[in-house]
Amino acid sequence: MPILRAAIIVLVVTFSSPLVFGCSCTNSTPIQKTSQSYRNRAVFTARIVQLMGKTYNWDGKRYSSQALAIVHERYWGLPWYWPKIVLLDGRYPCDTVMADGEDYLVSGRRSRYGVVEVNLCSRTQPLKTAQLDLRTLDGSHCAGPGGTIIGHVVDWTVAGRERLPARNASMTFLDENGNTYTAQSDDNGIYELRHLPAGPYTLESHLSQGRYAASGPVSVKEGLCTEMPVSIRNYSVSGRLMPGIDQYVNVYLAEVSSHSEGRNPVSIEPDGRFYFSNVAPGKYLLSLTTTAQRAVGAGSEIYYPGTPRRAQAARITVTDHTYARSLDFNPSSLPLVPIPVVLEPPVESGRFSWRFELEDSSHVIRGEKWSAGGSVVLLYGVRGASYGISLYGYSNQPMDYADCRSEVTPITAKPGLKPIHIAVPDGCR
């Protein structure tokens, strides 16, 4: 006990500096031993026994980005000769804060003896919320052939209740060829689709009249688990645009008698559907604007079903049963057209994570999408506008080699474009 107390005193003196600036980020790869990004990390469970540095009080609990923790179960990466008590350092960048007296699943980088860094979106989290990572821990759920989509399904449709696990919910994903893959959530609200071919997938958001599934885009990689959370929500008005257009457009619903901009939808989903909730009965106009068209000075609003003139716009009557009708815009009337791009070669080395970037003539980024080798990725541009497309590779081992970028490929946005093949630069394979 005297030795343990002395170790605590030394660590407190050394690491009692205040919390500095942080950032926000996400990590959609659950902890899995077979993943290169986790193989060299330390993964274990531990209990927070003493907070250090600056502390915060939220909902009656004390938190800090530095804490002493007693190690319980060691999975991998923590040497046997390390002490039973370690310091978890979650400071800048991308701070991780920890609660006093809480048990944690820890994923971190070993620093000095007895110190584990858990910042930078490490997925270190309370043990009570780590059911998904505990399932993927040994990598058996993520093994090839193909990859795995896994995630929690939360039901927000029950008034007054939050984060209610959606049990026995059916989730349907579509690949780029239109093939469907369906999974059902278990008693913990977790669904899982294993052995999927690598590539991008889109969740079919429409569930039933008045209910939809909100998610994001997801890309499957060979031999890896990728997390995609899903939340089930209510809607009263819905419609459809084009798949993958969600980051480029805004949709508004305004009363006919009003000249205000109107209200945004609750969400525009990756499959191109948009949803409004709690819309009062009345007569409305539905309109669309794009962030891209503002940048290049293209036309203003497009009104449903596809006209630039307000006087020609369809009047939409909202009742308690409006959700039985889908308000679908005419794709040929929209100012945006899809620009399909493909990464070459289709087989990746694993050294980089690739992202396509679409920039305008002023070199301002107007769209970006992550890529899976050999799969078509859709960017969107204004009809007739000129752009440049480049491939940016983020190093998976930044201490060993730097990021990588391709030359810029010029393109004019027009309907019916065939996939544009962007080659991986020499020396980056």
Side-chain angles (χ1 to χ4, degrees):
M1 179 61 72
I3 295 177
L4 179 60
R5 183 172 297 176
I8 292 175
I9 293 173
V10 171
L11 289 170
V12 168
V13 171
T14 305
F15 293 95
S16 58
S17 59
L19 180 69
V20 294
F21 296 107
C23 63
S24 62
C25 61
T26 58
N27 178 1
S28 62
T29 305
I31 300 172
Q32 46 202 282
K33 193 173 185 178
T34 50
S35 168
Q36 184 178 356
S37 59
Y38 291 106
R39 198 172 297 145
N40 297 322
R41 300 176 72 87
V43 178
F44 55 94
T45 61
R47 184 175 184 82
I48 306 299
V49 294
Q50 184 170 334
L51 301 182
M52 302 172 61
K54 189 173 183 179
T55 61
Y56 301 87
N57 290 287
W58 295 323
D59 296 330
K61 282 191 174 184
R62 295 173 61 244
Y63 294 80
S64 178
S65 60
Q66 295 170 286
L68 295 178
I70 295 178
V71 177
H72 288 170
E73 185 168 358
R74 305 184 185 212
Y75 293 110
W76 69 86
L78 202 63
W80 63 267
Y81 53 84
W82 268 45
K84 178 74 173 177
I85 187 167
V86 296
L87 185 134
L88 304 181
D89 189 0
R91 293 177 298 173
Y92 177 86
C94 300
D95 300 72
T96 296
V97 294
M98 294 153 284
D100 193 20
E102 190 86 46
D103 290 317
Y104 276 79
L105 175 63
V106 178
S107 164
R109 296 174 301 279
R110 297 193 306 273
S111 180
R112 285 170 282 181
Y113 180 76
V115 179
V116 179
E117 297 176 352
V118 295
N119 55 352
L120 289 171
C121 307
S122 66
R123 289 190 72 100
T124 295
Q125 60 186 296
L127 198 57
K128 62 186 178 184
T129 66
Q131 304 99 325
L132 190 150
D133 291 75
L134 291 173
R135 181 179 296 194
T136 63
L137 208 57
D138 66 359
S140 61
H141 286 255
C142 316
T148 299
I149 301 176
I150 188 170
H152 287 273
V153 186
V154 179
D155 193 341
W156 294 87
T157 65
V158 182
R161 302 181 71 174
E162 296 184 355
R163 293 194 60 82
L164 182 69
R167 300 177 176 89
N168 300 317
S170 181
M171 300 290 105
T172 298
F173 286 83
L174 291 85
D175 66 15
E176 59 186 335
N177 297 315
N179 300 313
T180 60
Y181 305 84
T182 302
Q184 202 164 26
S185 60
D186 60 20
D187 288 342
N188 294 314
I190 298 177
Y191 74 94
E192 185 175 352
L193 279 169
R194 301 174 65 181
H195 304 302
L196 296 174
Y201 288 78
T202 304
L203 177 66
E204 193 171 90
S205 64
H206 186 265
L207 295 179
S208 60
Q209 291 187 351
R211 299 172 78 241
Y212 74 99
S215 68
V218 60
S219 184
V220 170
K221 294 187 177 181
E222 182 73 25
L224 286 180
C225 279
T226 301
E227 181 184 17
M228 176 46 61
V230 177
S231 59
I232 297 177
R233 300 178 182 272
N234 291 326
Y235 74 87
S236 53
V237 176
S238 71
R240 186 192 291 273
L241 299 168
M242 293 184 286
I245 204 173
D246 48 293
Q247 66 173 269
Y248 300 90
V249 300
N250 294 313
V251 182
Y252 300 97
L253 193 64
E255 291 185 85
V256 171
S257 58
S258 171
H259 290 278
S260 63
E261 188 175 55
R263 57 183 292 181
N264 279 318
V266 172
S267 63
I268 303 175
E269 293 302 310
D271 64 357
R273 289 184 177 272
F274 57 87
Y275 299 90
F276 293 86
S277 65
N278 302 320
V279 180
K283 291 187 178 295
Y284 293 85
L285 293 177
L286 182 66
S287 64
L288 173 147
T289 61
T290 76
T291 55
Q293 74 188 51
R294 293 197 198 104
V296 297
S300 55
E301 289 181 293
I302 300 295
Y303 293 91
Y304 172 79
T307 175
R309 298 183 180 181
R310 179 185 175 98
Q312 296 178 352
R315 270 52 178 174
I316 299 164
T317 301
V318 174
T319 67
D320 292 339
H321 301 287
T322 303
Y323 52 65
R325 175 187 176 192
S326 181
L327 305 173
D328 301 346
F329 277 85
N330 180 1
S332 64
S333 70
L334 300 181
L336 298 180
V337 294
I339 303 174
V341 288
V342 179
L343 171 66
E344 289 187 341
V347 179
E348 301 180 56
S349 65
R351 297 178 62 207
F352 297 92
S353 296
W354 297 105
R355 187 177 70 185
F356 290 112
E357 295 183 348
L358 182 75
E359 61 181 41
D360 63 16
S361 57
S362 300
H363 306 293
V364 176
I365 301 297
R366 295 304 177 192
E368 51 190 14
K369 287 283 183 69
W370 292 100
S371 168
S375 298
V376 175
V377 173
L378 292 181
L379 300 168
Y380 278 86
V382 176
R383 292 171 187 266
S386 297
Y387 297 95
I389 301 174
S390 57
L391 180 67
Y392 196 96
Y394 289 86
S395 172
N396 290 332
Q397 297 292 332
M399 299 298 292
D400 299 328
Y401 51 90
D403 294 342
C404 184
R405 187 165 192 151
S406 72
E407 297 292 330
V408 176
T409 300
I411 187 68
T412 299
K414 57 184 180 180
L417 283 174
K418 294 182 179 180
I420 301 162
H421 295 262
I422 306 294
V424 174
D426 293 336
C428 300
R429 302 187 179 185

Short mmCIF file of all heavy atoms in Angstrom, two decimals, residues 174-227:
data_model
loop_
_atom_site.label_atom_id
_atom_site.label_comp_id
_atom_site.label_asym_id
_atom_site.label_seq_id
_atom_site.Cartn_x
_atom_site.Cartn_y
_atom_site.Cartn_z
N LEU A 174 -28.78 -1.35 -48.86
CA LEU A 174 -28.62 -1.59 -50.29
C LEU A 174 -27.18 -1.31 -50.69
O LEU A 174 -26.59 -0.32 -50.23
CB LEU A 174 -29.54 -0.70 -51.11
CG LEU A 174 -31.05 -0.97 -51.05
CD1 LEU A 174 -31.66 -0.26 -49.84
CD2 LEU A 174 -31.73 -0.49 -52.31
N ASP A 175 -26.60 -2.19 -51.52
CA ASP A 175 -25.28 -1.91 -52.05
C ASP A 175 -25.41 -1.08 -53.32
O ASP A 175 -26.51 -0.69 -53.73
CB ASP A 175 -24.48 -3.20 -52.28
CG ASP A 175 -25.08 -4.10 -53.37
OD1 ASP A 175 -25.94 -3.62 -54.15
OD2 ASP A 175 -24.69 -5.28 -53.44
N GLU A 176 -24.27 -0.78 -53.97
CA GLU A 176 -24.29 0.10 -55.13
C GLU A 176 -24.99 -0.51 -56.34
O GLU A 176 -25.35 0.21 -57.29
CB GLU A 176 -22.86 0.50 -55.50
CG GLU A 176 -21.97 -0.69 -55.84
CD GLU A 176 -20.53 -0.25 -56.06
OE1 GLU A 176 -20.31 0.93 -56.42
OE2 GLU A 176 -19.63 -1.08 -55.86
N ASN A 177 -25.22 -1.82 -56.32
CA ASN A 177 -25.91 -2.50 -57.41
C ASN A 177 -27.40 -2.72 -57.13
O ASN A 177 -28.10 -3.36 -57.92
CB ASN A 177 -25.25 -3.84 -57.70
CG ASN A 177 -23.81 -3.67 -58.17
OD1 ASN A 177 -23.52 -2.82 -59.00
ND2 ASN A 177 -22.91 -4.48 -57.61
N GLY A 178 -27.86 -2.22 -55.98
CA GLY A 178 -29.27 -2.37 -55.63
C GLY A 178 -29.62 -3.64 -54.89
O GLY A 178 -30.79 -3.89 -54.61
N ASN A 179 -28.62 -4.50 -54.60
CA ASN A 179 -28.88 -5.72 -53.81
C ASN A 179 -29.21 -5.34 -52.37
O ASN A 179 -28.63 -4.41 -51.81
CB ASN A 179 -27.66 -6.63 -53.84
CG ASN A 179 -27.30 -7.07 -55.25
OD1 ASN A 179 -28.16 -7.48 -56.01
ND2 ASN A 179 -26.02 -6.95 -55.60
N THR A 180 -30.13 -6.08 -51.76
CA THR A 180 -30.58 -5.76 -50.40
C THR A 180 -30.05 -6.77 -49.39
O THR A 180 -29.91 -7.96 -49.70
CB THR A 180 -32.11 -5.72 -50.32
OG1 THR A 180 -32.63 -7.00 -50.70
CG2 THR A 180 -32.68 -4.65 -51.24
N TYR A 181 -29.77 -6.26 -48.19
CA TYR A 181 -29.28 -7.09 -47.08
C TYR A 181 -30.03 -6.64 -45.82
O TYR A 181 -30.02 -5.46 -45.48
CB TYR A 181 -27.77 -6.91 -46.88
CG TYR A 181 -26.96 -7.17 -48.13
CD1 TYR A 181 -26.79 -6.18 -49.09
CD2 TYR A 181 -26.37 -8.41 -48.35
CE1 TYR A 181 -26.04 -6.41 -50.24
CE2 TYR A 181 -25.62 -8.66 -49.49
CZ TYR A 181 -25.46 -7.65 -50.43
OH TYR A 181 -24.73 -7.88 -51.56
N THR A 182 -30.67 -7.57 -45.15
CA THR A 182 -31.54 -7.23 -44.03
C THR A 182 -31.09 -7.92 -42.75
O THR A 182 -30.68 -9.09 -42.76
CB THR A 182 -33.00 -7.64 -44.34
OG1 THR A 182 -33.43 -6.98 -45.54
CG2 THR A 182 -33.93 -7.24 -43.20
N ALA A 183 -31.13 -7.19 -41.65
CA ALA A 183 -30.79 -7.73 -40.33
C ALA A 183 -31.82 -7.24 -39.33
O ALA A 183 -32.47 -6.20 -39.52
CB ALA A 183 -29.40 -7.31 -39.91
N GLN A 184 -31.96 -7.99 -38.24
CA GLN A 184 -32.91 -7.64 -37.19
C GLN A 184 -32.15 -7.39 -35.90
O GLN A 184 -31.23 -8.13 -35.54
CB GLN A 184 -33.91 -8.77 -37.00
CG GLN A 184 -35.22 -8.33 -36.35
CD GLN A 184 -36.31 -9.38 -36.54
OE1 GLN A 184 -36.03 -10.56 -36.71
NE2 GLN A 184 -37.56 -8.96 -36.52
N SER A 185 -32.54 -6.33 -35.19
CA SER A 185 -31.87 -6.00 -33.93
C SER A 185 -32.25 -6.99 -32.83
O SER A 185 -33.34 -7.55 -32.82
CB SER A 185 -32.23 -4.58 -33.49
OG SER A 185 -33.63 -4.45 -33.30
N ASP A 186 -31.32 -7.21 -31.88
CA ASP A 186 -31.55 -8.16 -30.80
C ASP A 186 -32.15 -7.47 -29.58
O ASP A 186 -32.60 -6.32 -29.66
CB ASP A 186 -30.25 -8.90 -30.46
CG ASP A 186 -29.15 -7.95 -30.00
OD1 ASP A 186 -29.45 -6.80 -29.60
OD2 ASP A 186 -27.97 -8.35 -30.05
N ASP A 187 -32.13 -8.14 -28.44
CA ASP A 187 -32.74 -7.59 -27.23
C ASP A 187 -32.01 -6.36 -26.71
O ASP A 187 -32.57 -5.58 -25.93
CB ASP A 187 -32.79 -8.65 -26.13
CG ASP A 187 -33.83 -9.72 -26.41
OD1 ASP A 187 -34.72 -9.47 -27.24
OD2 ASP A 187 -33.73 -10.81 -25.80
N ASN A 188 -30.75 -6.18 -27.12
CA ASN A 188 -29.99 -4.99 -26.72
C ASN A 188 -30.11 -3.87 -27.76
O ASN A 188 -29.46 -2.83 -27.63
CB ASN A 188 -28.52 -5.34 -26.52
CG ASN A 188 -28.29 -6.27 -25.36
OD1 ASN A 188 -28.85 -6.07 -24.28
ND2 ASN A 188 -27.49 -7.31 -25.57
N GLY A 189 -30.90 -4.11 -28.80
CA GLY A 189 -31.04 -3.11 -29.85
C GLY A 189 -29.87 -3.07 -30.81
O GLY A 189 -29.68 -2.09 -31.52
N ILE A 190 -29.07 -4.15 -30.86
CA ILE A 190 -27.91 -4.19 -31.74
C ILE A 190 -28.23 -5.08 -32.95
O ILE A 190 -28.72 -6.19 -32.79
CB ILE A 190 -26.66 -4.75 -31.01
CG1 ILE A 190 -26.28 -3.82 -29.84
CG2 ILE A 190 -25.48 -4.89 -31.96
CD1 ILE A 190 -25.11 -4.33 -29.02
N TYR A 191 -27.95 -4.55 -34.15
CA TYR A 191 -28.10 -5.35 -35.36
C TYR A 191 -26.70 -5.63 -35.93
O TYR A 191 -25.73 -4.95 -35.61
CB TYR A 191 -28.95 -4.62 -36.40
CG TYR A 191 -28.23 -3.49 -37.07
CD1 TYR A 191 -27.56 -3.68 -38.28
CD2 TYR A 191 -28.21 -2.22 -36.49
CE1 TYR A 191 -26.89 -2.64 -38.89
CE2 TYR A 191 -27.53 -1.18 -37.09
CZ TYR A 191 -26.87 -1.39 -38.29
OH TYR A 191 -26.19 -0.36 -38.89
N GLU A 192 -26.63 -6.61 -36.82
CA GLU A 192 -25.32 -7.01 -37.35
C GLU A 192 -25.50 -7.67 -38.71
O GLU A 192 -26.36 -8.54 -38.88
CB GLU A 192 -24.67 -8.00 -36.36
CG GLU A 192 -23.26 -8.41 -36.71
CD GLU A 192 -22.65 -9.29 -35.63
OE1 GLU A 192 -23.29 -9.44 -34.55
OE2 GLU A 192 -21.56 -9.83 -35.85
N LEU A 193 -24.73 -7.21 -39.69
CA LEU A 193 -24.71 -7.81 -41.02
C LEU A 193 -23.27 -8.20 -41.33
O LEU A 193 -22.41 -7.34 -41.51
CB LEU A 193 -25.21 -6.80 -42.07
CG LEU A 193 -26.72 -6.65 -42.23
CD1 LEU A 193 -27.04 -5.44 -43.09
CD2 LEU A 193 -27.33 -7.90 -42.82
N ARG A 194 -23.01 -9.50 -41.41
CA ARG A 194 -21.64 -9.99 -41.59
C ARG A 194 -21.42 -10.47 -43.02
O ARG A 194 -22.36 -10.79 -43.75
CB ARG A 194 -21.36 -11.12 -40.60
CG ARG A 194 -21.54 -10.71 -39.14
CD ARG A 194 -21.38 -11.88 -38.19
NE ARG A 194 -20.03 -12.43 -38.21
CZ ARG A 194 -19.65 -13.48 -37.47
NH1 ARG A 194 -20.53 -14.08 -36.68
NH2 ARG A 194 -18.40 -13.92 -37.53
N HIS A 195 -20.13 -10.54 -43.39
CA HIS A 195 -19.68 -11.06 -44.69
C HIS A 195 -20.30 -10.31 -45.87
O HIS A 195 -20.70 -10.91 -46.86
CB HIS A 195 -19.97 -12.56 -44.79
CG HIS A 195 -19.36 -13.35 -43.67
ND1 HIS A 195 -18.01 -13.34 -43.40
CD2 HIS A 195 -19.93 -14.16 -42.73
CE1 HIS A 195 -17.76 -14.12 -42.37
NE2 HIS A 195 -18.91 -14.63 -41.94
N LEU A 196 -20.37 -8.99 -45.75
CA LEU A 196 -20.84 -8.17 -46.85
C LEU A 196 -19.69 -7.87 -47.80
O LEU A 196 -18.57 -7.61 -47.35
CB LEU A 196 -21.41 -6.85 -46.32
CG LEU A 196 -22.66 -6.91 -45.43
CD1 LEU A 196 -22.97 -5.52 -44.91
CD2 LEU A 196 -23.83 -7.47 -46.21
N PRO A 197 -19.92 -7.87 -49.10
CA PRO A 197 -18.87 -7.45 -50.03
C PRO A 197 -18.43 -6.01 -49.72
O PRO A 197 -19.26 -5.17 -49.35
CB PRO A 197 -19.55 -7.54 -51.40
CG PRO A 197 -20.68 -8.51 -51.20
CD PRO A 197 -21.14 -8.31 -49.80
N ALA A 198 -17.14 -5.74 -49.87
CA ALA A 198 -16.63 -4.40 -49.60
C ALA A 198 -17.27 -3.38 -50.52
O ALA A 198 -17.57 -3.67 -51.68
CB ALA A 198 -15.11 -4.38 -49.75
N GLY A 199 -17.50 -2.17 -50.00
CA GLY A 199 -18.09 -1.11 -50.81
C GLY A 199 -19.06 -0.27 -50.01
O GLY A 199 -19.30 -0.53 -48.82
N PRO A 200 -19.68 0.74 -50.64
CA PRO A 200 -20.62 1.61 -49.95
C PRO A 200 -22.01 0.98 -49.83
O PRO A 200 -22.45 0.26 -50.73
CB PRO A 200 -20.67 2.86 -50.84
CG PRO A 200 -20.35 2.34 -52.21
CD PRO A 200 -19.40 1.19 -52.02
N TYR A 201 -22.68 1.28 -48.72
CA TYR A 201 -24.04 0.79 -48.48
C TYR A 201 -24.91 1.94 -47.99
O TYR A 201 -24.43 2.87 -47.33
CB TYR A 201 -24.05 -0.35 -47.45
CG TYR A 201 -23.47 -1.64 -47.98
CD1 TYR A 201 -22.09 -1.81 -48.09
CD2 TYR A 201 -24.30 -2.68 -48.41
CE1 TYR A 201 -21.55 -2.99 -48.60
CE2 TYR A 201 -23.76 -3.85 -48.91
CZ TYR A 201 -22.39 -4.00 -49.00
OH TYR A 201 -21.87 -5.15 -49.52
N THR A 202 -26.19 1.84 -48.30
CA THR A 202 -27.16 2.86 -47.90
C THR A 202 -28.33 2.19 -47.19
O THR A 202 -28.85 1.19 -47.67
CB THR A 202 -27.69 3.63 -49.13
OG1 THR A 202 -26.59 4.19 -49.86
CG2 THR A 202 -28.61 4.75 -48.71
N LEU A 203 -28.70 2.75 -46.06
CA LEU A 203 -29.85 2.22 -45.33
C LEU A 203 -31.14 2.71 -45.98
O LEU A 203 -31.28 3.89 -46.30
CB LEU A 203 -29.81 2.68 -43.87
CG LEU A 203 -31.00 2.27 -42.99
CD1 LEU A 203 -31.04 0.76 -42.82
CD2 LEU A 203 -30.94 2.96 -41.64
N GLU A 204 -32.07 1.79 -46.20
CA GLU A 204 -33.40 2.16 -46.69
C GLU A 204 -34.14 2.82 -45.54
O GLU A 204 -34.52 2.15 -44.57
CB GLU A 204 -34.13 0.91 -47.18
CG GLU A 204 -35.36 1.19 -47.99
CD GLU A 204 -35.91 -0.07 -48.62
OE1 GLU A 204 -36.75 -0.73 -47.96
OE2 GLU A 204 -35.49 -0.43 -49.74
N SER A 205 -34.35 4.14 -45.65
CA SER A 205 -34.81 4.90 -44.48
C SER A 205 -36.31 4.73 -44.20
O SER A 205 -36.72 4.79 -43.03
CB SER A 205 -34.49 6.38 -44.67
OG SER A 205 -35.19 6.93 -45.78
N HIS A 206 -37.13 4.52 -45.21
CA HIS A 206 -38.57 4.44 -44.98
C HIS A 206 -38.92 3.10 -44.33
O HIS A 206 -38.64 2.04 -44.88
CB HIS A 206 -39.33 4.61 -46.29
CG HIS A 206 -40.81 4.69 -46.10
ND1 HIS A 206 -41.65 3.60 -46.19
CD2 HIS A 206 -41.62 5.74 -45.79
CE1 HIS A 206 -42.88 3.96 -45.97
NE2 HIS A 206 -42.90 5.25 -45.73
N LEU A 207 -39.55 3.16 -43.17
CA LEU A 207 -39.94 1.94 -42.45
C LEU A 207 -41.43 1.64 -42.63
O LEU A 207 -41.82 0.53 -42.96
CB LEU A 207 -39.61 2.07 -40.97
CG LEU A 207 -38.13 2.18 -40.61
CD1 LEU A 207 -37.98 2.33 -39.10
CD2 LEU A 207 -37.37 0.96 -41.09
N SER A 208 -42.27 2.64 -42.37
CA SER A 208 -43.71 2.48 -42.46
C SER A 208 -44.32 3.87 -42.49
O SER A 208 -43.61 4.87 -42.38
CB SER A 208 -44.25 1.67 -41.26
OG SER A 208 -43.96 2.34 -40.05
N GLN A 209 -45.64 3.93 -42.64
CA GLN A 209 -46.28 5.24 -42.63
C GLN A 209 -46.05 5.93 -41.30
O GLN A 209 -46.42 5.42 -40.24
CB GLN A 209 -47.78 5.09 -42.91
CG GLN A 209 -48.08 4.66 -44.33
CD GLN A 209 -49.56 4.68 -44.65
OE1 GLN A 209 -50.38 4.86 -43.76
NE2 GLN A 209 -49.90 4.49 -45.91
N GLY A 210 -45.39 7.08 -41.36
CA GLY A 210 -45.15 7.87 -40.15
C GLY A 210 -43.86 7.55 -39.43
O GLY A 210 -43.53 8.22 -38.45
N ARG A 211 -43.09 6.56 -39.88
CA ARG A 211 -41.85 6.18 -39.19
C ARG A 211 -40.72 5.97 -40.20
O ARG A 211 -40.93 5.40 -41.28
CB ARG A 211 -42.05 4.91 -38.37
CG ARG A 211 -43.10 5.04 -37.28
CD ARG A 211 -43.39 3.70 -36.62
NE ARG A 211 -42.37 3.34 -35.65
CZ ARG A 211 -41.61 2.26 -35.74
NH1 ARG A 211 -41.71 1.45 -36.77
NH2 ARG A 211 -40.73 1.99 -34.80
N TYR A 212 -39.51 6.45 -39.83
CA TYR A 212 -38.36 6.26 -40.70
C TYR A 212 -37.11 6.00 -39.86
O TYR A 212 -37.10 6.21 -38.64
CB TYR A 212 -38.14 7.49 -41.60
CG TYR A 212 -37.58 8.71 -40.89
CD1 TYR A 212 -36.21 9.01 -40.96
CD2 TYR A 212 -38.40 9.57 -40.17
CE1 TYR A 212 -35.70 10.13 -40.33
CE2 TYR A 212 -37.90 10.68 -39.54
CZ TYR A 212 -36.55 10.97 -39.62
OH TYR A 212 -36.03 12.08 -38.99
N ALA A 213 -36.07 5.50 -40.52
CA ALA A 213 -34.81 5.18 -39.86
C ALA A 213 -33.75 6.18 -40.29
O ALA A 213 -33.45 6.30 -41.48
CB ALA A 213 -34.37 3.76 -40.19
N ALA A 214 -33.20 6.92 -39.34
CA ALA A 214 -32.16 7.91 -39.62
C ALA A 214 -30.79 7.28 -39.41
O ALA A 214 -30.55 6.58 -38.42
CB ALA A 214 -32.33 9.13 -38.71
N SER A 215 -29.89 7.54 -40.36
CA SER A 215 -28.54 6.96 -40.27
C SER A 215 -27.58 7.88 -41.01
O SER A 215 -27.84 9.07 -41.19
CB SER A 215 -28.52 5.56 -40.88
OG SER A 215 -28.72 5.63 -42.28
N GLY A 216 -26.50 7.31 -41.49
CA GLY A 216 -25.53 8.03 -42.30
C GLY A 216 -25.01 7.10 -43.37
O GLY A 216 -25.40 5.94 -43.43
N PRO A 217 -24.11 7.57 -44.22
CA PRO A 217 -23.50 6.67 -45.21
C PRO A 217 -22.53 5.72 -44.53
O PRO A 217 -21.96 6.04 -43.48
CB PRO A 217 -22.77 7.62 -46.16
CG PRO A 217 -22.46 8.82 -45.31
CD PRO A 217 -23.59 8.94 -44.34
N VAL A 218 -22.34 4.54 -45.08
CA VAL A 218 -21.42 3.57 -44.48
C VAL A 218 -20.68 2.84 -45.59
O VAL A 218 -21.25 2.56 -46.65
CB VAL A 218 -22.20 2.58 -43.58
CG1 VAL A 218 -23.23 1.81 -44.36
CG2 VAL A 218 -21.24 1.64 -42.86
N SER A 219 -19.40 2.58 -45.35
CA SER A 219 -18.57 1.88 -46.33
C SER A 219 -17.96 0.66 -45.66
O SER A 219 -17.33 0.77 -44.60
CB SER A 219 -17.47 2.81 -46.85
OG SER A 219 -16.72 2.18 -47.86
N VAL A 220 -18.18 -0.50 -46.26
CA VAL A 220 -17.67 -1.76 -45.71
C VAL A 220 -16.27 -2.03 -46.23
O VAL A 220 -15.99 -1.87 -47.42
CB VAL A 220 -18.61 -2.92 -46.10
CG1 VAL A 220 -17.99 -4.27 -45.75
CG2 VAL A 220 -19.95 -2.75 -45.41
N LYS A 221 -15.38 -2.44 -45.33
CA LYS A 221 -14.02 -2.81 -45.70
C LYS A 221 -13.78 -4.27 -45.35
O LYS A 221 -14.31 -4.78 -44.36
CB LYS A 221 -13.00 -1.90 -44.99
CG LYS A 221 -13.06 -0.45 -45.45
CD LYS A 221 -11.94 0.38 -44.85
CE LYS A 221 -11.97 1.80 -45.39
NZ LYS A 221 -10.86 2.62 -44.84
N GLU A 222 -12.97 -4.90 -46.16
CA GLU A 222 -12.68 -6.32 -45.99
C GLU A 222 -12.10 -6.62 -44.62
O GLU A 222 -11.13 -6.00 -44.18
CB GLU A 222 -11.70 -6.78 -47.07
CG GLU A 222 -11.37 -8.26 -47.04
CD GLU A 222 -12.50 -9.14 -47.52
OE1 GLU A 222 -13.34 -8.65 -48.31
OE2 GLU A 222 -12.55 -10.31 -47.12
N GLY A 223 -12.72 -7.59 -43.89
CA GLY A 223 -12.20 -8.04 -42.61
C GLY A 223 -12.33 -7.06 -41.47
O GLY A 223 -11.67 -7.22 -40.44
N LEU A 224 -13.20 -6.04 -41.61
CA LEU A 224 -13.37 -5.04 -40.55
C LEU A 224 -14.84 -4.88 -40.19
O LEU A 224 -15.73 -5.05 -41.02
CB LEU A 224 -12.82 -3.69 -40.98
CG LEU A 224 -11.30 -3.50 -41.03
CD1 LEU A 224 -10.97 -2.09 -41.49
CD2 LEU A 224 -10.67 -3.78 -39.67
N CYS A 225 -15.09 -4.52 -38.92
CA CYS A 225 -16.42 -4.10 -38.49
C CYS A 225 -16.51 -2.58 -38.59
O CYS A 225 -15.58 -1.87 -38.20
CB CYS A 225 -16.67 -4.51 -37.04
SG CYS A 225 -17.16 -6.23 -36.80
N THR A 226 -17.63 -2.09 -39.10
CA THR A 226 -17.89 -0.66 -39.16
C THR A 226 -19.20 -0.38 -38.45
O THR A 226 -20.21 -1.05 -38.70
CB THR A 226 -17.98 -0.17 -40.61
OG1 THR A 226 -16.75 -0.45 -41.28
CG2 THR A 226 -18.25 1.32 -40.66
N GLU A 227 -19.21 0.58 -37.55
CA GLU A 227 -20.40 0.90 -36.78
C GLU A 227 -21.28 1.90 -37.54
O GLU A 227 -20.79 2.90 -38.07
CB GLU A 227 -20.04 1.50 -35.42
CG GLU A 227 -21.27 1.82 -34.57
CD GLU A 227 -20.92 2.51 -33.27
OE1 GLU A 227 -19.79 3.02 -33.15
OE2 GLU A 227 -21.77 2.53 -32.37
#
